[in-house]
């Protein structure tokens, strides 16, 4: 297993940051060649399952995950979500904590990953890649504009 950890700060309020970080389908917008499907009915909570499919055609793999701990932020308490990665290619866990940071919020995303077929010798490369990928996802989710309320007005 390879450990990774990333931290991102945002001016967003705590509850907004939590909702953006835990909107699983939106993660795909920040991961190349990836689509995410939530396979359980809403709302998100412990037991929610989703699959990230990365690649194209025969050169693709599924990364199934399950939320095993779900504690949204509350007054005086950070939010925490624990995911288990249960795929044939990628296994491990990820822990996402969203807490207050002054008037904004702070996201800490850490985990342990094992990638099938990748020897331990390449652990530092996997760890660096994970930090880059999960950092990109967190930063993208925190800065993206919220979905619009409707079509743009004509020009």
């Amino acid at each position: 297993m390879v450990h990774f950890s990333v931290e991102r700060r945002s001016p967003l309020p705590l509850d907004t940051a939590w909702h953006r970080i835990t909107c699983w389908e939106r993660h795909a917008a920040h991961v190349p060649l990836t689509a995410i499907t939530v396979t359980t009915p809403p709302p998100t909570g412990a037991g929610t399952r989703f699959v990230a499919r990365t690649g194209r055609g025969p050169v693709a793999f599924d990364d199934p995950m399950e939320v095993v701990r779900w504690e949204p932020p509350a007054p005086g308490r950070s939010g925490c979500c624990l995911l288990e990665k249960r795929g044939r290619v990628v296994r491990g866990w990820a822990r996402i904590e969203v807490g207050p940071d002054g008037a904004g919020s702070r996201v800490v995303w850490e985990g342990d990953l094992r990638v099938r077929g990748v020897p331990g010798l390449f652990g530092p490369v996997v760890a660096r890649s994970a930090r880059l990928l999960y950092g990109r996802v967190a930063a993208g989710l925190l800065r993206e504009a919220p979905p619009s309320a409707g079509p743009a007005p004509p020009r």
Side-chain angles (χ1 to χ4, degrees):
M1 290 257 179
V2 172
H3 187 78
F4 72 90
S5 181
V6 296
E7 179 180 318
R8 296 293 182 268
R9 296 184 188 297
S10 170
L12 294 172
L14 183 60
D15 61 334
T16 302
W18 171 260
H19 288 292
R20 286 193 187 181
I21 289 291
T22 60
C23 183
W24 311 122
E25 299 95 332
R26 303 287 304 162
H27 288 217
H30 306 284
V31 182
L33 304 174
T34 299
I36 296 177
T37 304
V38 176
T39 60
T40 51
T44 295
T48 295
R49 291 182 305 279
F50 55 98
V51 178
R53 180 152 184 88
T54 300
R56 291 290 181 253
V59 187
F61 68 92
D62 289 338
D63 182 9
M65 292 169 256
E66 182 174 349
V67 176
V68 295
R69 179 176 167 200
W70 180 258
E71 297 174 4
R77 187 187 80 210
S78 297
C80 184
C81 177
L82 182 63
L83 305 169
E84 286 188 5
K85 299 172 88 45
R86 299 179 172 164
R88 291 182 10 188
V89 176
V90 181
R91 296 190 66 83
W93 59 269
R95 180 178 173 277
I96 305 169
E97 183 173 322
V98 182
D101 185 45
S105 53
R106 175 177 164 258
V107 174
V108 177
W109 193 330
E110 68 173 324
D112 277 336
L113 300 174
R114 183 174 58 243
V115 181
R116 182 176 174 214
V118 177
L121 170 70
F122 294 102
V125 174
V126 172
R128 185 171 195 281
S129 297
R131 283 191 305 274
L132 289 171
L133 175 68
Y134 292 103
R136 172 186 172 141
V137 172
L141 290 167
L142 292 170
R143 87 171 153 262
E144 71 183 17
S148 68
R155 292 185 186 207

